[in-house]
Amino acid sequence: MKTRFYERTAYRFSEDPVPNCFMKLDEYFDTRFGDANVASTHINVLLAESVCSRMADLEMYAFLIEDARKRHGLDKDSDVRGAIRTRSFLIGYLGAGRALLDSASVGLSILYRLPLNNTERSFGNGDFWHQLVTVAPPVHRRYHPMRLFFNEVLRWNNELVLRVPPLMVSHQHFGQFSSREMHLRALDDPAVDWPQMLADPTRLNWIDPLHLHDRWKPKLLSLCEKMCVDIEACT
């Protein structure tokens, strides 16, 4: 029987299709489970729903960021409201990205019984990679090329306060009455703090949050595909 785990995620409210890897995984579950009670409590079904949920959250926040810039009027206050919404939704987006990585690293730890406690089950923990290569070398080879990307996502979250600075910093940099798109951006520079922002704003690198999503989404979908392969292999 199909578990339809993806229908218990934010994809239920989305016009975007559920990624194919999750649909294919549920087709496999359909061949493995004949009892609803068994399927609903099987750890691998829960792991699948966890990974899918976090990817759905990520796409939901990307939609909200895009929607925030469409809600504008003729007054300048609407631009400020759009910038405020964008910042709030970007915080949620970054948190969802980290949660997706954590869902995957916890899932791999469970699937391959890595001797790690809950706080150690993270792509940002060197011992996680040591245990993974020791216990499951082929699996390690599949995920390790993504380690630099994982570090980028984790770094954005660790530097979140600086990456999404107060709106006044944007006003100081671009001018309060500059184009609204300028005030929707985040800081794409890990080596800058607030004093530097205010002292030398011309050297800052900014990025549109939707461009960040375009940069991350293919790799995050690749992570989901890899996780679906491992969940299927261990079921």
Side-chain angles (χ1 to χ4, degrees), residues 47-193:
L47 292 178
E49 183 177 329
S50 176
V51 174
C52 185
S53 292
R54 302 294 75 81
M55 187 65 206
D57 292 343
L58 196 90
E59 301 233 54
M60 177 187 69
Y61 279 113
F63 168 81
L64 291 172
I65 291 171
E66 184 175 17
D67 184 66
R69 68 185 57 197
K70 294 178 180 177
R71 297 174 180 272
H72 64 278
L74 298 178
D75 60 294
K76 278 294 178 182
D77 189 54
S78 68
D79 290 350
V80 174
R81 291 197 299 270
I84 293 171
R85 288 193 185 100
T86 297
R87 278 166 163 72
S88 295
F89 296 147
L90 179 56
I91 297 294
Y93 177 89
L94 294 172
R98 178 165 195 152
L100 174 55
L101 264 59
D102 288 344
S103 182
S105 58
V106 168
L108 290 173
S109 299
I110 292 173
L111 290 172
Y112 296 103
R113 301 180 181 180
L114 305 185
L116 300 167
N117 62 41
N118 288 341
T119 61
E120 296 170 333
R121 295 171 169 179
S122 169
F123 288 133
N125 176 26
D127 195 36
F128 168 86
W129 294 102
H130 172 71
Q131 295 299 335
L132 186 61
V133 73
T134 301
V135 174
V139 178
H140 177 273
R141 284 195 294 271
R142 291 173 48 242
Y143 286 89
H144 193 264
M146 301 188 74
R147 190 172 179 180
L148 287 177
F149 169 66
F150 296 157
N151 288 341
E152 179 186 0
V153 176
L154 296 173
R155 188 172 65 246
W156 266 81
N157 276 273
N158 292 338
E159 300 167 354
L160 188 144
V161 172
L162 298 175
R163 298 283 195 162
V164 190
L167 187 56
M168 182 57 69
V169 173
S170 178
H171 286 168
Q172 290 289 332
H173 183 50
F174 299 112
Q176 184 173 356
F177 299 105
S178 58
S179 67
R180 66 191 305 269
E181 286 75 16
M182 295 298 184
H183 301 300
L184 303 178
R185 299 181 179 185
L187 192 63
D188 193 19
D189 194 333
V192 178
D193 58 18

